[in-house]
């Protein structure tokens, strides 16, 4: 499946044919008419040409009196002195018609096969060449369509006697018509040619002249009739200048019809070539005549010897001649090299003195002066590069028609319309009727004896070997054969194609019988065109007529121009009926060795026809049209042939274009070695021709990433590439010395850089000297930082900005310091003056040999207050930007390497990094070679090209390929800011869990000239990091995880306290330092620090917290059973032992009873445990938080004051997120010093906390502390020892008072039940009895609900036992509670109460 070629535009086949045949009108003017028209810088013929098309529809009656409409009627207006060009001049005009059109860069994709290709679907140079070919055809008797049908006799009203002047013009015309048919003079359709008188009046002559012009018009009507004359009034605009008013068409409507006036006569005189003679360069492109391809007699050999060497395309031709044609057709050379070859030509051509202009030669009686109205515009080439048309203002400084108004233009169009409708069309209608009557009456009786003899004895097959006498058959002008030909031409021009076909068909039989092969070929050609125009979409066109006509033109008549016209028109008809293969074959028939330009043009069109052709795939089934595949390889093959012929004809730009279009079919199909051979050969040839730039482009293609060459061959290619670039650098240095300007560095193919993988680090830390181990510097941000975009940094920055500036925007955007392809790069990165910015570049060497890069530096462009500055042209240090150079790096074969380069801007502006500059050298070059000048290196650059992610938001973005902008390499440089340097003394890398260690922090400003203020330190782990600085309290104190500290700028150092985390392993210390410049608003600088600390285990706390009743005052009592375990391994010798130095109970709800609490003393060795009991009673509500009691142990160690820092800060931060009761265990340990001499005393703390309403029972071995919600607890009042005589009374009843306590702050509903003990008597073999097993019986109100508030509620019960023993009162007792608004009942934990009953006899 493929895309149509004509989707871009271009004339259709019907338009091409209709534009090729227009009624010819001669113009005979008096000298005073040229004076009137010269005010507009035009002649009378040029004045009419833009308006030569009939703007309204005309009507005629055919020979049968049927009415026919006449549309698309255009006149071919020529001066009567016009003569067709000679064959040599015609070749030059055809070459200029192709040259003066630029290469069309608008391409469309054509899908053919697996790979899409791009083509130029519309070729305007082909249209220009075709129209120029029509204008160069001579007038012959076999084609009356080019003969004059009428003559315009033009006289000015300013003439003293206009009527007499008209008579003189008529006499002159009669004399010219009397010699009709001669070789040199003009030819008329017949002697009854139409004459039309035009009186031109200059409106600037005044009112009196206007009255005289009207009188003359009336006199002309009386003499010539009302339909034989016309008054044309022009120049109505006052003489205020020569600029066309805004009402006229723009651009200049006459420009496309005017001849090119640039003077190149001096060039032809230098070559000693006659401009109008037969000695001329054949087919050489205008402005590209560095060396003529063909020179005939009259050429000055000495001048040729002084010309520069042949241009690049000749070198390309010589190089291609050395290559086998099979390798040429292989998928080979790169299009970029060929493009650069053409650009080199332009540079070379511009250096030729006297030959650098690119305009056509001014020729007297140039046939293009009266070119057909449909001739395509021709513009001289831009002298800068020769690739495009220049503006009309560069051709002439003033426009045409400066004295005309829109009314004047309407009058000119009215003249053409009135002439066509009232004179020309009626005249053609009468002529057609007369010719039809004459041909009908004379055809049946007119048979000459000579014609009959030829029919019987002569050959009637065209294309055979004919004698000159047989070919040159002459007819009388009034013969019936020519009358039929005239009738057919008239009908064809009027669009009456049916009558035209019958006339041509009748005439061609007579011509064939008379062996008038030229007339016969013309009749066959026109008959086929007539059938086609009757129904352009029909396939019933007699295309064999075209074949016979073409064969006759070529082989019998030897008239290649007429054969070319026949082939071109036949191909248009074949293409219109989708017979593209046949159309291509018709065009290929006209290729020959002696016409390079014609062959190139037709081969290119044939290639496009093959692209439109389609064949069915190899399948036995009938393939539908969507399965048709285009002939892409045939297209490429003929496009290469066209490029070769374009090069031979001097059309170098078109040759390069043809190769580029064809090579996209062949490249990338595995012909790598063939491509390398072509590139290397072309590069060597260009080097020999001193075309250095083209040689560099061709040899650069050899160093491609997918090269299949061996390492030795790649080394040779690299050396050759460097050698060519060295010669180019010598030329550039010579040019720099002459022009006093610097040349840019060339772009090199090595190394390969993936621009999207470039990373940018702004605000890079300045490199400092290596510090001793006790001293370390804040790390800030590096390329190896994996957590640079972690959310913790954004949270800390937001807190800092909110604290410093009072508030933040609705959408806070944190500062980004590293930019890569994964970040949002739609805005410019921000940095400050005198800051270092780093770039991480991934370099890849795709070759099989190592390469060496030296003096590697970044190429930048700085836009500041002093304008734009760049280091591309110079390596001198710039005062605004400091560039750091990497001395040397070696890239191994087929490997990648990352390098980091730095720059430092010193002023405000935009710093844009554009590429990488370096010196490329082979690795095997000895350093000593530089001494003798043999160092093989080339200075060059690799430019960066970034593209953001593909957008997929809108429908347009989803349907197309739209990418976001990536501005990571365009950095906004702001004002200077203070630069902090933070040093840490003895920052640990190893700590124990719970260990508290001080670290001294020093702060200094590396920019002393910049004031600093508002220094704030942030930490995201206040549980384990504290500063000896005033803390900035946050509004949301309880849930704030970031601690802020204000640092006075006059303070040089402070203490940072670190506490080992409870979780062992690698932990992160994250700090952020904030500072501002008081002179700059809303800008700040951040300094990050991130270091890793390994935390090792030390102690583990486990506790069992339970509410217990008090037997004395019934106050709520809390019992805490504490277990402390040393987690160090038994074979660990880093700590000699851990000793509990202090235990503190901190709460605002409970008061510790030190006398009733016990903690064993001693040193805990590895894997040893310590168990202690603490008792506390409930205090008053909301008492002031303080250290309620501290249990001092009789061991060494100082007492800890929890009102002092950092202990107060750690405890306070612990209680922000943990309940209001905290148990603190302080410990000390002895550690061996790092040097092995002496010991160190380390201190630590562990915390344990809970809420009063979350106290629950917990098992010590399982977890540190298990909490669940507790609503109710109980206590009992009874006699613990009872003596009873069971012999007197079998049951012993003991009263028990059950007290229910509310553990919550709300009223609760308590349910209790006391049932029989369901336990069984234990067996004798049971060694362990968890509770007393003697049965008992609860007596009284053993079940009920009680509402309990703050005060305990009492329930009177009793128990009955039948024998002495120990009894557990919790047997059968179940108590639970619920809050009144809730349905969930929470059971009370069981509290053991025992009773011993003795027998009285005992």
């Amino acid at each position: 499946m493929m895309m149509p070629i004509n989707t871009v535009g271009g004339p259709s086949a019907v338009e091409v044919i209709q534009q090729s045949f227009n009624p010819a009108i001669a113009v005979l003017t008096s000298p005073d008419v040229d004076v009137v028209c010269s005010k507009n810088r035009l002649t009378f013929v040029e004045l009419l040409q833009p308006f030569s098309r009939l703007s309204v529809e005309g009507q005629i009656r055919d020979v049968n009196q049927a009415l026919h409409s006449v549309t698309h009627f255009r006149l071919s207006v020529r001066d009567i002195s016009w003569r067709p060009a000679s064959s040599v001049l015609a070749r030059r005009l055809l070459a200029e018609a192709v040259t003066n059109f630029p290469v069309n860069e608008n391409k469309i994709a054509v899908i053919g096969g697996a790979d899409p290709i791009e083509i130029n679907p519309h070729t305007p140079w082909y249209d220009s060449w075709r129209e120029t070919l029509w204008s160069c055809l001579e007038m012959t008797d076999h084609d009356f369509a080019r003969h004059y049908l009428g003559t315009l006799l033009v006289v000015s009203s300013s003439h003293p006697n206009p009527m007499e002047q008209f008579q003189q013009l008529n006499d002159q015309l009669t004399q010219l018509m009397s010699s009709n048919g001669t070789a040199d003079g003009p030819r008329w359709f017949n002697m009854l040619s139409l004459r039309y008188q035009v009186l031109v009046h200059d409106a600037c002559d005044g009112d009196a002249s206007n009255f005289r012009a009207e009188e003359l018009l009336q006199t002309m009507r009386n003499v010539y009739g009302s339909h034989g004359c016309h008054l044309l009034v022009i120049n109505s605009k006052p003489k205020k200048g020569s600029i066309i008013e805004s009402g006229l068409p723009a651009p200049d409507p006459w420009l496309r019809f005017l001849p090119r006036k640039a003077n190149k006569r001096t060039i032809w005189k230098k070559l000693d070539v006659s401009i109008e003679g037969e000695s001329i360069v054949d087919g050489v492109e205008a402005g590209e005549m560095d060396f003529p391809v063909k020179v005939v007699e009259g050429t000055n050999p000495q001048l040729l010897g002084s010309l520069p060497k042949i241009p690049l395309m000749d070198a390309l031709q010589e190089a291609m001649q050395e290559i086998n044609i099979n390798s040429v057709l292989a998928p080979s050379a790169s299009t970029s090299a060929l493009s650069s070859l053409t650009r080199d030509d332009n540079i070379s051509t511009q250096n030729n003195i006297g030959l650098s202009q690119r305009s056509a030669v001014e020729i007297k009686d140039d046939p293009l002066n009266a070119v057909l109205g449909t001739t395509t515009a021709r513009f001289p080439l831009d002298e800068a590069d020769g690739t495009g048309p220049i503006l009309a203002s560069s051709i002439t400084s003033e426009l045409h028609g400066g004295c005309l108004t829109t009314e004047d233009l309407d009058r000119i169009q009215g003249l053409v319309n009135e002439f066509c409708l009232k004179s020309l069309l009626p005249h053609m209608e009468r002529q057609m009727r007369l010719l039809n009557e004459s041909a009908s009456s004379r055809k049946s009786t007119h048979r000459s004896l000579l014609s009959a003899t030829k029919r019987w004895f002569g050959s009637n097959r065209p294309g055979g070997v004919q004698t000159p006498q047989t070919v040159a058959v002459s007819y009388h002008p009034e013969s019936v054969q020519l009358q039929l030909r005239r009738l057919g031409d008239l009908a064809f021009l009027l669009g009456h194609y049916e009558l035209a076909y019958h006339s041509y068909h009748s005439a061609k039989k007579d011509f064939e019988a008379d062996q008038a092969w030229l007339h016969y070929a013309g009749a066959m050609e026109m008959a086929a065109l007539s059938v086609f125009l009757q129904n352009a979409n029909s396939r019933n066109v007699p295309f064999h007529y075209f074949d016979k006509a073409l064969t006759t033109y070529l082989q019998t008549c030897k008239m290649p121009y007429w054969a070319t016209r026949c082939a071109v028109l036949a191909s248009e008809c074949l293409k219109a009926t989708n017979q593209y293969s046949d159309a291509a074959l018709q065009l290929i028939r006209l290729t020959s060795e002696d016409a390079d330009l014609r062959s190139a043009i037709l081969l290119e069109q044939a290639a496009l026809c093959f692209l439109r052709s389609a064949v069915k795939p190899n399948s036995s089934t009938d393939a539908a049209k969507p399965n048709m595949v285009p002939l892409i390889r045939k297209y490429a093959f003929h496009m290469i042939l066209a490029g070769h012929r374009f090069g031979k004809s001097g059309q170098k730009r078109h040759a390069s274009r043809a190769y580029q279009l064809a090579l996209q079919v062949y490249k990338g199909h595995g012909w790598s070695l063939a491509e390398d051979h072509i590139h290397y050969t072309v590069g060597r040839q260009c080097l020999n021709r001193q075309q250095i730039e083209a040689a560099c482009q061709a040899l650069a293609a050899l160093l491609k990433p997918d090269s299949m060459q061996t390492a030795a061959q790649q080394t040779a290619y690299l050396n050759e590439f460097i050698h060519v670039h060295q010669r180019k650098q010598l030329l550039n240095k010579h040019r720099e010395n002459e022009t006093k300007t610097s040349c840019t560095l060339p772009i090199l193919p090595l190394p390969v850089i993936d621009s999207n993988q470039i990373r940018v680090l702004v605000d890079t830390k300045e490199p400092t000297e290596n510090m001793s181990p006790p001293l370390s510097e804040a790390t800030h941000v590096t390329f190896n930082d994996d957590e640079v975009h972690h959310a913790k940094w954004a949270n800390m920055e937001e807190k800092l900005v909110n604290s410093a500036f009072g508030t933040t925007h609705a959408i806070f955007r944190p500062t980004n310091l590293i930019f890569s392809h994964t970040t949002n790069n739609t805005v410019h990165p921000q940095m400050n003056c005198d800051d270092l910015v780093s770039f991480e570049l991934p370099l890849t060497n795709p070759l099989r040999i190592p390469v060496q890069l030296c003096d590697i530096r970044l190429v930048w462009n700085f836009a500041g207050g002093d304008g734009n500055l760049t280091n591309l042209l110079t390596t001198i240090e710039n005062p605004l930007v400091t560039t750091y150079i990497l001395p040397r790096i070696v890239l191994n074969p087929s490997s990648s390497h990352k390098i980091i380069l730095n720059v430092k801007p010193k002023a405000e502006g935009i710093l844009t990094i554009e590429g990488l500059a370096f010196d490329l050298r082979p690795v095997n070059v000895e350093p000593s070679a530089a001494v003798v000048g043999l160092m093989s290196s080339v200075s060059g650059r690799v430019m960066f090209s970034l593209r953001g992610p593909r957008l997929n938001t809108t429908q347009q973005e989803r349907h197309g390929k739209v990418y976001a902008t990536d501005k990571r390499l365009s950095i906004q440089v702001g004002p200077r800011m203070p630069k902090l340097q933070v040093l840490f003394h003895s920052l640990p890398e190893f700590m124990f869990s719970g260990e508290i260690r001080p670290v001294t922090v020093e702060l200094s400003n590396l920019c002393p000239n910049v004031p600093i203020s508002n220094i704030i330190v942030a930490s995201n782990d206040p549980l384990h990091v504290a500063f000896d600085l005033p803390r900035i309290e946050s509004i949301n104190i309880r849930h704030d995880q970031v601690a802020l500290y204000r640092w006075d700028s006059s303070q040089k150092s402070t203490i940072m306290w670190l506490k080992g985390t409870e979780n062992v392993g690698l932990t992160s210390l994250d700090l952020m330092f904030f500072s501002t410049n008081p002179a700059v608003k809303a800008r700040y600088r951040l300094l990050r620090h991130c270091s890793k600390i390994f935390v090792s285990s030390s102690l583990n706390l486990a506790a069992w917290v339970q509410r217990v009743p008090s037997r004395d005052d019934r106050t709520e009592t809390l019992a805490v059973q504490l277990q402390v375990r040393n987690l160090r391994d038994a074979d660990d010798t880093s700590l000699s032992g851990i000793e509990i130095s202090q235990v503190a109970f901190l709460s605002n709800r409970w008061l510790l009873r030190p006398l009733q609490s016990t903690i064993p003393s001693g040193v805990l060795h590895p894997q040893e445990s310590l168990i202690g009991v603490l008792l506390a009673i409930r205090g008053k509500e909301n008492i002031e938080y303080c250290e309620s009691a501290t249990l001092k142990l009789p061991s060494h160690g100082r007492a800890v004051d929890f009102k002092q820092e950092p202990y107060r800060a750690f405890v306070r931060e612990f209680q922000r997120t943990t309940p209001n009761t905290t148990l603190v265990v302080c410990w000390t340990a002895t550690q061996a010093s790092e040097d092995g001499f002496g010991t160190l005393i380390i201190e630590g703390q562990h915390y344990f906390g809970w809420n009063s309403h979350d106290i629950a029972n917990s098992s010590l071995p399982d977890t540190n502390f298990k909490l669940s919600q507790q609503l109710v607890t109980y206590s009992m009042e009874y006699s613990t020892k009872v003596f009873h005589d069971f012999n007197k009374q079998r049951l012993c009843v003991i009263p028990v008072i059950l007290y229910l306590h509310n553990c919550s702050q709300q009223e609760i509903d308590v349910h209790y039940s006391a049932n029989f003990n369901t336990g069984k008597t234990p067996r004798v073999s049971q060694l362990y009895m968890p509770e007393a097993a003697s049965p008992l019986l609860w007596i009284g109100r053993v079940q009920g609900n009680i509402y309990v508030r703050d005060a305990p509620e009492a329930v009177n019960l009793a128990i009955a036992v039948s024998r002495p023993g120990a009894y557990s009162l919790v047997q059968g007792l179940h108590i639970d509670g619920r809050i009144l608004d809730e349905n969930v009942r929470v059971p009370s934990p069981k509290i053991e109460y025992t009773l011993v009953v003795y027998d009285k006899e005992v």
Side-chain angles (χ1 to χ4, degrees), residues 1011-1155:
I1012 187 173
S1013 64
N1014 210 5
I1015 304 175
I1016 304 176
V1017 184
S1019 170
N1020 64 343
D1021 190 9
L1023 284 173
H1024 305 94
V1025 180
F1027 282 86
D1028 191 12
L1029 295 172
R1031 181 167 177 177
I1032 303 175
E1033 297 295 340
S1034 175
I1035 299 176
N1036 190 4
I1037 298 178
R1038 189 168 185 82
H1039 300 287
D1040 192 3
Q1041 299 298 324
V1042 178
L1044 304 180
Y1045 303 90
R1046 188 172 300 279
W1047 189 313
D1048 190 356
S1049 57
S1050 61
Q1051 185 177 356
K1052 300 302 181 182
S1053 63
T1054 188
I1055 300 297
M1056 175 180 65
W1057 298 89
L1058 300 180
K1059 180 176 180 292
T1061 60
E1062 289 74 18
N1063 299 325
V1064 298
L1066 198 63
T1067 60
S1068 177
L1069 172 62
D1070 301 322
L1071 303 175
M1072 181 174 285
F1073 297 85
F1074 177 94
S1075 61
T1076 61
N1077 184 352
V1080 181
K1081 295 182 179 180
R1083 289 184 69 94
Y1084 57 90
R1085 183 193 289 275
L1086 300 175
L1087 177 63
R1088 299 182 186 181
H1089 172 76
C1090 180
S1091 60
K1092 301 299 180 180
I1093 301 176
F1094 185 82
V1095 178
S1096 182
S1097 60
S1098 58
L1099 294 181
N1100 181 37
L1101 298 185
W1104 181 50
V1105 183
Q1106 184 179 9
R1107 298 177 187 268
V1108 295
S1110 174
R1111 302 195 178 192
D1112 298 334
D1113 51 4
R1114 298 190 184 92
T1115 58
E1116 190 173 358
T1117 305
L1118 192 67
V1120 181
Q1121 184 174 353
L1122 177 66
Q1123 180 185 29
V1124 182
R1125 181 180 178 84
N1126 187 351
L1127 298 179
R1128 307 298 299 175
D1129 294 334
D1131 55 351
D1132 185 14
T1133 59
S1134 58
L1135 288 180
S1136 58
I1138 300 177
E1139 183 178 1
I1140 305 300
S1141 61
Q1142 185 175 347
V1143 177
F1145 194 85
L1146 310 178
S1147 176
N1148 58 357
R1149 298 287 301 274
W1150 302 91
L1151 298 177
L1152 182 68
R1153 290 185 174 182
L1155 298 179

Side-chain angles (χ1 to χ4, degrees), residues 432 443 484-493 495-509 511 522-535 540-546:
M432 186 172 59
K443 182 178 181 182
L484 286 174
R485 173 65 196 227
R486 286 191 180 95
L487 177 60
D489 289 342
L490 273 179
F492 191 91
L493 293 175
H496 194 348
Y497 301 115
E498 183 178 359
L499 177 60
Y501 170 71
H502 290 297
S503 300
Y504 292 137
H505 190 269
S506 299
K508 69 102 177 174
K509 294 180 180 180
F511 294 144
M524 294 282 285
E525 176 187 4
M526 298 303 294
L529 292 176
S530 299
V531 176
F532 172 77
L533 292 177
Q534 291 182 52
N535 189 0
N540 296 325
V541 179
F543 290 107
H544 61 282
Y545 281 14
F546 286 119

Side-chain angles (χ1 to χ4, degrees), residues 5 97-99 101-107 118-130 568 571-572 575 580 583-591 595-613 631-632 634-647 649 651 653-662:
I5 293 178
V98 178
T99 301
F101 267 93
V103 174
N104 185 13
E105 297 297 338
N106 296 324
K107 301 177 181 179
E118 292 183 347
I119 64 169
N120 293 112
H122 182 48
T123 52
W125 50 88
Y126 169 68
D127 298 337
S128 175
W129 176 85
R130 183 184 62 230
V568 169
S571 66
E572 295 293 336
K575 287 190 291 185
Y580 293 99
L585 295 178
Q586 289 282 10
L587 297 172
I588 293 174
R589 290 180 62 183
L590 267 297
T591 59
D596 292 325
L597 181 61
R598 182 184 71 197
S599 300
I601 289 290
L602 299 182
L603 283 171
E604 180 183 13
Q605 296 303 312
L608 293 176
C609 290
F610 281 123
L611 192 61
R612 288 294 306 274
S613 301
L631 305 177
I632 296 182
K634 278 193 175 183
Y635 158 77
F637 175 77
H638 287 83
M639 192 60 73
I640 287 179
L641 296 179
H644 178 66
R645 301 304 290 273
F646 270 128
S649 64
Q651 304 287 343
R653 294 181 294 110
H654 289 285
S656 176
R657 174 186 56 81
Y659 277 111
Q660 293 176 16
L661 293 175

Side-chain angles (χ1 to χ4, degrees), residues 890-966:
V890 176
L891 299 179
N892 295 325
S894 302
S895 63
S896 299
H897 189 81
K898 290 183 179 181
I899 63 172
I900 297 177
L901 297 177
N902 304 322
V903 293
K904 179 188 289 187
K906 299 181 179 180
E908 298 183 33
I910 298 292
L911 177 64
T912 303
I913 305 301
E914 298 178 342
L916 182 70
F918 51 88
D919 292 342
L920 178 64
R921 299 177 183 177
V923 177
N924 54 359
V925 177
E926 297 294 335
S928 59
V931 181
V932 295
L934 298 178
M935 176 62 72
S936 178
S937 66
V938 55
S939 299
R941 58 191 169 108
V942 174
M943 304 307 290
F944 302 149
S945 178
L946 294 180
R947 185 176 66 180
R950 183 175 177 179
L951 302 179
N952 197 27
T953 304
T954 63
Q955 184 177 3
Q956 181 181 3
E957 293 173 350
R958 289 191 292 269
H959 290 175
K961 291 185 178 180
V962 183
Y963 296 89
T965 58
D966 196 322

Side-chain angles (χ1 to χ4, degrees), residues 399-645:
L399 299 177
H400 303 89
C403 296
L404 300 179
T405 62
T406 54
E407 290 79 5
D408 293 338
L409 302 185
D410 293 338
R411 294 189 189 104
I412 298 173
Q413 186 64 59
L415 167 63
V416 175
N417 292 343
E418 183 176 351
F419 169 71
C420 293
L421 296 176
K422 295 183 179 181
S423 295
L424 183 59
L425 290 180
H427 172 75
M428 296 176 68
E429 180 182 343
R430 289 191 300 270
Q431 291 294 319
M432 186 172 59
R433 189 177 299 111
L434 290 176
L435 289 172
N436 181 63
E437 294 174 355
S438 175
S440 299
S441 62
R442 297 175 58 186
K443 182 178 181 182
S444 60
T445 59
H446 181 76
R447 290 292 183 269
S448 64
L449 181 60
L450 180 61
S451 299
T453 304
K454 291 179 179 179
R455 281 198 303 272
W456 286 101
F457 302 102
S459 174
N460 60 353
R461 292 183 178 272
V465 179
Q466 308 292 341
T467 61
Q469 290 80 7
T470 304
V471 174
V473 175
S474 178
Y475 288 102
H476 189 273
E478 300 301 327
S479 64
V480 63
Q481 292 87 350
L482 296 188
Q483 295 286 31
L484 286 174
R485 173 65 196 227
R486 286 191 180 95
L487 177 60
D489 289 342
L490 273 179
F492 191 91
L493 293 175
L494 291 173
H496 194 348
Y497 301 115
E498 183 178 359
L499 177 60
Y501 170 71
H502 290 297
S503 300
Y504 292 137
H505 190 269
S506 299
K508 69 102 177 174
K509 294 180 180 180
D510 294 338
F511 294 144
E512 183 180 9
D514 297 338
Q515 295 187 7
W517 302 122
L518 181 59
H519 295 274
Y520 169 77
M524 294 282 285
E525 176 187 4
M526 298 303 294
L529 292 176
S530 299
V531 176
F532 172 77
L533 292 177
Q534 291 182 52
N535 189 0
N537 297 325
S538 175
R539 298 177 64 93
N540 296 325
V541 179
F543 290 107
H544 61 282
Y545 281 14
F546 286 119
D547 296 335
K548 293 181 180 180
L550 183 58
T551 303
T552 305
Y553 279 135
L554 283 177
Q555 299 181 7
T556 305
C557 303
K558 307 298 182 182
M559 301 183 72
Y561 281 178
W562 291 97
T564 303
R565 189 188 77 166
C566 179
V568 169
L569 296 179
S571 66
E572 295 293 336
C573 297
L574 289 168
K575 287 190 291 185
T577 55
N578 294 328
Q579 302 181 59
Y580 293 99
S581 297
D582 296 336
L585 295 178
Q586 289 282 10
L587 297 172
I588 293 174
R589 290 180 62 183
L590 267 297
T591 59
S592 61
E593 293 297 330
D594 58 346
D596 292 325
L597 181 61
R598 182 184 71 197
S599 300
I601 289 290
L602 299 182
L603 283 171
E604 180 183 13
Q605 296 303 312
L608 293 176
C609 290
F610 281 123
L611 192 61
R612 288 294 306 274
S613 301
V615 297
K616 296 180 181 179
N618 296 329
S619 176
S620 59
T621 60
D622 184 13
K625 187 175 181 180
N627 295 328
M628 307 289 278
V629 294
L631 305 177
I632 296 182
R633 284 181 291 182
K634 278 193 175 183
Y635 158 77
F637 175 77
H638 287 83
M639 192 60 73
I640 287 179
L641 296 179
H644 178 66
R645 301 304 290 273

Side-chain angles (χ1 to χ4, degrees), residues 1282-1287 1289-1290 1292 1294 1333-1335 1361-1367 1395-1402:
V1282 177
F1283 295 91
H1284 181 72
D1285 188 0
F1286 289 95
N1287 293 325
Q1289 189 176 358
R1290 295 295 298 172
C1292 176
I1294 305 169
S1334 300
V1361 297
S1362 59
R1363 59 184 178 180
Y1367 294 90
L1395 168 67
V1396 180
V1397 179
Y1398 298 95
D1399 192 354
K1400 187 175 181 182
E1401 295 181 353
V1402 179

